[in-house]
Amino acid sequence: MTTHPSAAVIARYADPRASLDEVTMWSVEVHLEGCAHCRAVLVGRVPDDTRVLLDRVAAGVDRAVAAGPVPAPRRRWSPVRNRWFVWRLLPWLTMTVAVLGCAVLLEAAAPHLPSLVTLLAPIAPLPGVAFAWSRRHDPAWELVAGTPAAGLAMLLRRTAAVLAVVVPVLALGSTRTGASLAMTLLPCLAFTAAAITLGAFVGVRVAAIGLGVAWALAVVLPAVLTARLPAVLEPGGAVAWALLTLALAGLAGLRAADFRRLTSHH
Amino acid sequence: MMRTVSAAETAATTHPWAVHAEGLRVRAGRHVAVDGLDLALGTGVHGLLGPNGAGKTTLMRAVATVVKPAGGRLTLLGEQVGDRADLRRVRRGLGYLPQQFGFYPRFTVREFVEYMAWLKEMPKATIPGAVQRAVDRVGLTAKADARMKTLSGGMLRRAGIAQAIVNDPAVLLLDEPTVGLDPEQRLEFRELLRDVGVDSCVLVSTHLVEDVVAACTDVVLMNDGRLVYQGVPDDLAAQGGAGDAGDSPAERGYSALLRRHRAEAGR
């Protein structure tokens, strides 16, 4: 609790002729800044000429405030509203949605083939994720890379923006074609987590391209040629995919520091 | 209004130099653009001069912690920048204007500077005030709510300077900041440099010797990725003779130093 200075001390503080030692003056000054009551006491003790001067200053300040520009409205800052990068993602997301739309149509046209939506689900988010963390495609990468916020959190935010579009489209596509919802969404999340985890070691872009190519060659191509859904996408594998997703996400969390290092923003 | 001073603000400086490079090597693609550079910079405005391809921009990028040094030691604000370093603390004290900076054309100057302030992890409550102050300092007050795509080249440059100074950086790196500024704006910019250089380390790369002489407390001359010369502007002017190329004593000093360095390197 602060003790208020006595009225006598305030009177001496206010009187230019009275002497007050510096330490007392400072403590009175600091107290006055935070105490309206003592300020009111002070006003009663100041000499008349000072009061006239203060009134003149107050009137001048009021006039200037009235004549000056209106203060800018208080804006609430939120990163969500400043969705800078999302605009740059739009073309890629449009492409992903278009490809998935084509897959749905193809499935309707050629029912003997295995579910294309399920086959493409794991690699659907990869173009967006690769784009989101690529120095070639972010015009401001040089500005962003030198800031403390650059790191896993930023990559995850951008990935979330990609998933927010891709996941509903996949869900819609799988229900339309009658494919298993879990076997569409879980591999999609697992591959996203894998791209980020591998990205800690080799760069997200390389990781996404590598995973995409590997999946296309190892699973999609044979499945289309043999017209059978591969074993890894059979409905029984849902638990394995879920565990894989969790493990990869955990690993990515452990490697979070890598995204802040100098080489990670490829 | 009173403000709480944080412990970090009053902590004693325990590093002798804000920027300290020892035998620094940095690659630009396959080419080693900075090759064995020794440099120590303290508080003040340091003008970085050198011909095209001398490694100025690459050095700037390394100091901005955007590219990784290929060898040697680089210490920023007392912390070594390397593979294992947590750069977050250092980066909070950095301000960087790249030579060419991308931006998102839909955003206004204020939003751009706000976004950068947010990325620099400034306390949320201080951002609007700091942004307004930075925009005022570069003279863009009237254009604060104009979209980035409507700005002229010089205004963009100034918006870039505003985002660099918004967090009151301890190390401010400006790569070619005077490109596109008209003569009057350049004078104002020099004033700003002197102002910022009072208590932080400013490294300005430029081709304009006159800017360095007018606004800098220290001249750093680079060629072929190495340090050629470091001294005060008056000393740079004293290096040149009547026979050297240039229209001012400083320009003559600049060309004399480069000529001497090239002759030594050629031997």
Side-chain angles (χ1 to χ4, degrees):
Chain A
M1 205 194 115
T2 47
T3 45
H4 296 278
S6 69
V9 170
I10 291 183
R12 277 168 68 199
Y13 174 80
D15 187 356
R17 285 179 301 278
S19 69
L20 195 63
D21 65 288
E22 273 184 13
V23 176
T24 316
M25 189 132 95
W26 292 339
S27 66
V28 172
E29 220 149 69
V30 169
H31 179 82
L32 284 171
E33 278 178 9
C35 177
H37 175 255
C38 288
R39 281 202 297 271
V41 176
L42 176 71
V43 171
R45 307 289 164 135
V46 291
D48 285 340
D49 50 345
T50 312
R51 207 172 310 161
V52 170
L53 176 69
L54 283 174
D55 285 345
R56 220 170 59 229
V57 170
V61 169
D62 285 345
R63 243 194 337 271
V65 168
V70 188
R74 206 182 158 79
R75 294 147 36 85
R76 275 189 61 80
W77 160 255
S78 86
V80 178
R81 217 187 41 203
N82 289 268
R83 53 217 171 269
W84 267 35
F85 197 78
V86 174
W87 296 108
R88 312 282 310 179
L89 281 173
L90 271 183
W92 289 87
L93 293 177
T94 316
M95 182 202 78
T96 308
V97 171
V99 168
L100 291 175
C102 289
V104 172
L105 289 181
L106 261 176
E107 242 182 277
H112 64 281
L113 280 179
S115 167
L116 274 176
V117 174
T118 311
L119 278 177
L120 290 180
I123 50 177
L126 295 183
V129 173
F131 182 84
W133 203 247
S134 149
R135 86 172 24 179
R136 260 172 242 190
H137 296 119
D138 185 354
W141 75 265
E142 203 170 346
L143 285 176
V144 173
T147 60
L152 184 61
M154 180 180 277
L155 173 58
L156 289 182
R157 261 199 314 275
R158 292 178 172 186
T159 307
V162 175
L163 288 180
V165 174
V166 172
V167 166
V169 172
L170 280 177
L172 201 68
S174 72
T175 47
R176 267 291 150 84
T177 57
S180 155
L181 185 64
M183 285 320 290
T184 309
L185 294 188
L186 283 173
C188 164
L189 294 179
F191 266 65
T192 310
I196 291 172
T197 311
L198 274 180
F201 300 94
V202 295
V204 175
R205 198 168 149 268
V206 176
I209 293 173
L211 284 170
V213 170
W215 180 259
L217 290 181
V219 179
V220 178
L221 201 61
V224 172
L225 291 180
T226 59
R228 281 185 51 220
L229 199 63
V232 285
L233 288 177
E234 292 295 339
V239 177
W241 279 105
L243 288 177
L244 183 65
T245 310
L246 283 179
L248 285 169
L251 194 56
L254 290 180
R255 307 292 305 189
D258 287 25
F259 291 96
R260 210 168 283 138
R261 288 215 189 109
L262 299 171
T263 45
S264 62
H265 198 264
H266 288 285
Chain B
M1 197 185 128
M2 273 201 284
R3 187 176 76 92
T4 317
V5 179
S6 73
E9 282 177 87
T10 52
T13 314
T14 52
H15 46 269
W17 306 105
V19 177
H20 193 193
E22 291 160 284
L24 183 69
R25 287 158 48 83
V26 191
R27 282 179 209 284
R30 285 204 190 133
H31 169 68
V32 180
V34 175
D35 192 2
L37 179 90
D38 294 301
L39 186 66
L41 303 175
T43 303
V45 184
H46 309 272
L48 181 60
L49 288 171
N52 279 330
K56 299 193 295 290
T57 294
T58 308
L59 173 65
M60 285 286 196
R61 281 188 175 168
V63 178
T65 71
V66 172
V67 296
K68 188 170 108 167
R73 278 161 64 96
L74 176 63
T75 315
L76 291 178
L77 303 171
E79 280 193 38
Q80 200 177 332
V81 175
D83 237 2
R84 306 228 59 91
D86 182 6
L87 296 166
R88 209 157 161 192
R89 209 184 68 82
V90 170
R91 282 176 172 169
R92 282 196 192 127
L94 287 182
Y96 176 42
L97 171 71
Q99 194 169 29
Q100 281 149 356
F101 71 97
F103 55 88
Y104 300 87
R106 283 165 196 274
F107 292 87
T108 67
V109 174
R110 193 190 300 278
E111 283 168 343
F112 169 67
V113 181
E114 265 180 357
Y115 184 72
M116 291 308 296
W118 177 70
L119 285 182
K120 291 177 184 195
E121 298 186 337
M122 291 177 71
K124 247 185 197 166
T126 67
I127 288 180
V131 168
Q132 185 64 49
R133 190 161 150 263
V135 169
D136 289 345
R137 280 178 98 180
V138 297
L140 276 180
T141 314
K143 285 277 178 186
D145 294 308
R147 294 207 185 283
M148 294 289 280
K149 62 182 169 194
T150 65
L151 300 187
S152 70
M155 287 177 184
L156 274 181
R157 215 73 206 136
R158 284 188 279 157
I161 297 169
Q163 67 77 22
I165 61 173
V166 70
N167 57 336
D168 288 320
V171 176
L172 177 61
L173 308 158
L174 303 170
D175 202 349
E176 304 272 4
T178 49
V179 172
L181 299 191
D182 66 34
E184 197 191 353
Q185 288 163 358
R186 263 173 56 204
L187 294 182
E188 283 165 13
F189 172 70
R190 287 177 189 171
E191 200 57 49
L192 174 72
L193 273 189
R194 284 186 211 111
D195 194 26
V196 177
V198 169
D199 54 2
S200 31
C201 170
V202 186
L203 183 60
V204 192
S205 119
T206 178
H207 283 297
L208 300 170
V209 180
E210 55 203 290
D211 276 347
V212 171
V213 175
C216 296
T217 54
D218 186 43
V219 182
V220 177
L221 178 57
M222 267 181 88
N223 189 33
D224 283 341
R226 285 163 195 278
L227 183 70
V228 175
Y229 169 83
Q230 187 174 10
V232 295
D234 287 343
D235 187 48
L236 174 76
Q239 299 284 329
D244 292 304
D247 293 328
S248 69
E251 281 178 8
R252 284 192 283 275
Y254 170 80
S255 42
L257 281 169
L258 270 186
R259 184 172 46 77
R260 252 180 269 157
H261 179 257
R262 282 176 180 147
E264 274 171 35
R267 237 188 293 140

